[in-house]
Amino acid sequence: TTAGLIESTMDVLWSSLGHRPKYVAATATIRGAERDVRLMFGRSLNIFPPPVAKASDNFFAKEDYENPGRIHIGILGSIGRSRTLLNQPAASLLQRINEFEQRYPGINPEILDPYHTLVGYFNSLRELGGAQASIPGQIASELIPRFAEQSGYLPRELRERKELTSRRTSTELKEVKSAMKRKRNDPHCVDTVVTTNMFQVGIDIPRLGLMAIVGQPKSNSEYIQSSGRVGRRKPGLVLSLLRSNYPRDQSHFENFRVFHQEIYRSVDRTSTTPFSQRALDRGATTAL
């Protein structure tokens, strides 16, 4: 909505020089693109490439039936436990990957590396704050040692914890992104990362393969974009931790398989209203 006003300004400035720019855009999650492009850029839309003969070949990529991809698992929490929903699954995942190395001492570290760093995705900073207290607290101090005692292996020690949110400065965010690229054999390899919707764009770290999404994101495109950040080169595991006292989460759990089989059909239409009265009130001065 705001960008549409700015684009109008850019168009006027370019036109004064006798030039009309052409826009090239790429996206994986959009519906009603023709309407949005008309409202935002004042242009007609040509889609490249046009639909081809096979659904498994879209010119940019071909479907791979041989190599494993990304697995989605849904867990519906019990009523009244939404605040601690992450604790047991996170502790189990973090400890189990540690046990593999103890059980098979000669295993190739490249196999385990994608699952060393657990990404925790949250819909709000409030929920993220609760997890930040739980990771060094209940998860590291109570649950991981309990799981280790049950299986007879040494408990995992969580040394490196990071946060990727709007609360961090741009310099800190660059440092976190760089740290997330460290591999398992690095003594400063990151154990856990907690993040919000900042994670859904601009993050391209191929080694990541393990994510827990706490609560169903508000839009389906956000869910597709965020979960698509893991399992890019190696098989990925995305755990959806759903809260039973949220109707949206319940609905997602009940239709979990169907939703993921037709995931792009569920993408929401975006709201593009650059010349609405409220948008003009907020942005016309800047545009002028």
Side-chain angles (χ1 to χ4, degrees), residues 3-4 7-8 11 20-27 30-47 269-275:
E7 292 299 340
S8 302
D11 216 24
R20 195 163 190 258
K22 178 186 288 186
Y23 295 87
V24 180
T27 180
I30 195 166
R31 291 186 72 189
E34 193 157 350
R35 170 184 166 274
D36 287 343
V37 167
R38 178 73 63 185
L39 286 168
M40 188 165 162
F41 301 107
R43 300 285 194 278
S44 56
L45 174 69
N46 289 313
I47 296 178
R269 284 181 177 267
T270 50
S271 173
T272 310
T273 53
F275 302 106

Side-chain angles (χ1 to χ4, degrees), residues 232-248:
R232 293 193 155 199
R233 291 195 185 162
K234 304 287 184 181
L237 176 63
V238 178
L239 200 64
S240 291
L241 302 172
L242 304 164
R243 302 154 296 189
S244 52
N245 52 335
Y246 283 67
R248 179 178 170 81

Side-chain angles (χ1 to χ4, degrees), residues 8-274:
S8 302
T9 309
M10 296 297 293
D11 216 24
V12 169
L13 292 172
W14 277 112
S15 299
S16 67
L17 300 173
H19 180 66
R20 195 163 190 258
K22 178 186 288 186
Y23 295 87
V24 180
T27 180
T29 49
I30 195 166
R31 291 186 72 189
E34 193 157 350
R35 170 184 166 274
D36 287 343
V37 167
R38 178 73 63 185
L39 286 168
M40 188 165 162
F41 301 107
R43 300 285 194 278
S44 56
L45 174 69
N46 289 313
I47 296 178
F48 172 82
V52 288
K54 295 181 180 178
S56 59
D57 179 3
N58 70 352
F59 182 83
F60 292 108
K62 293 182 179 178
E63 196 167 331
D64 186 350
Y65 293 98
E66 295 180 5
N67 296 314
R70 191 181 302 113
I71 294 175
H72 289 262
I73 296 176
I75 296 177
L76 187 67
S78 51
I79 294 174
R81 300 296 297 273
S82 59
R83 286 189 178 182
T84 57
L85 186 57
L86 176 70
N87 293 3
Q88 289 199 33
S92 177
L93 290 169
L94 290 165
Q95 174 59 17
R96 298 308 175 208
I97 199 67
N98 199 48
E99 290 176 6
F100 273 112
E101 192 172 44
Q102 297 177 52
R103 191 183 302 174
Y104 308 108
I107 193 169
N108 185 352
E110 288 292 321
I111 296 174
L112 300 179
D113 181 61
Y115 316 106
H116 181 88
T117 302
L118 173 65
V119 179
Y121 187 91
F122 299 86
N123 293 307
S124 69
L125 288 170
R126 180 179 57 82
E127 293 174 338
L128 181 143
Q132 275 188 313
S134 297
I135 290 170
Q138 190 176 14
I139 292 174
S141 304
E142 298 178 28
L143 293 172
I144 287 180
R146 187 191 305 170
F147 287 133
E149 186 180 351
Q150 290 173 356
S151 58
Y153 291 96
L154 295 173
R156 175 173 173 178
E157 185 180 349
L158 303 182
R159 298 187 184 92
E160 296 283 338
R161 303 188 304 274
K162 300 292 182 184
E163 177 187 330
L164 196 68
T165 66
S166 56
R167 298 190 296 196
R168 297 288 181 246
T169 64
S170 58
T171 305
E172 289 174 323
L173 292 174
K174 286 180 184 176
E175 290 174 356
V176 172
K177 289 179 186 178
S178 179
M180 289 165 66
K181 295 177 182 177
R182 296 176 194 147
K183 298 214 168 185
R184 182 177 169 83
N185 52 10
D186 189 311
H188 297 288
C189 183
V190 177
D191 293 297
T192 60
V193 178
V194 289
T195 184
T196 55
N197 59 4
M198 177 181 284
F199 193 76
Q200 64 174 312
V201 289
I203 305 293
D204 187 15
I205 302 172
R207 66 170 289 269
L208 296 177
L210 187 62
M211 174 184 265
I213 300 178
V214 182
Q216 181 63 11
K218 293 178 177 62
S219 72
N220 292 323
S221 57
E222 181 184 339
Y223 177 78
I224 294 168
Q225 294 277 20
S226 57
S227 62
R229 301 293 152 183
V230 302
R232 293 193 155 199
R233 291 195 185 162
K234 304 287 184 181
L237 176 63
V238 178
L239 200 64
S240 291
L241 302 172
L242 304 164
R243 302 154 296 189
S244 52
N245 52 335
Y246 283 67
R248 179 178 170 81
D249 285 23
Q250 279 188 352
S251 174
H252 184 69
F253 181 76
E254 290 165 1
N255 299 287
F256 198 78
R257 179 183 288 273
V258 175
F259 174 81
H260 286 88
Q261 286 173 334
E262 303 174 348
I263 193 164
Y264 287 99
R265 183 182 289 185
S266 306
V267 171
D268 322 270
R269 284 181 177 267
T270 50
S271 173
T272 310
T273 53

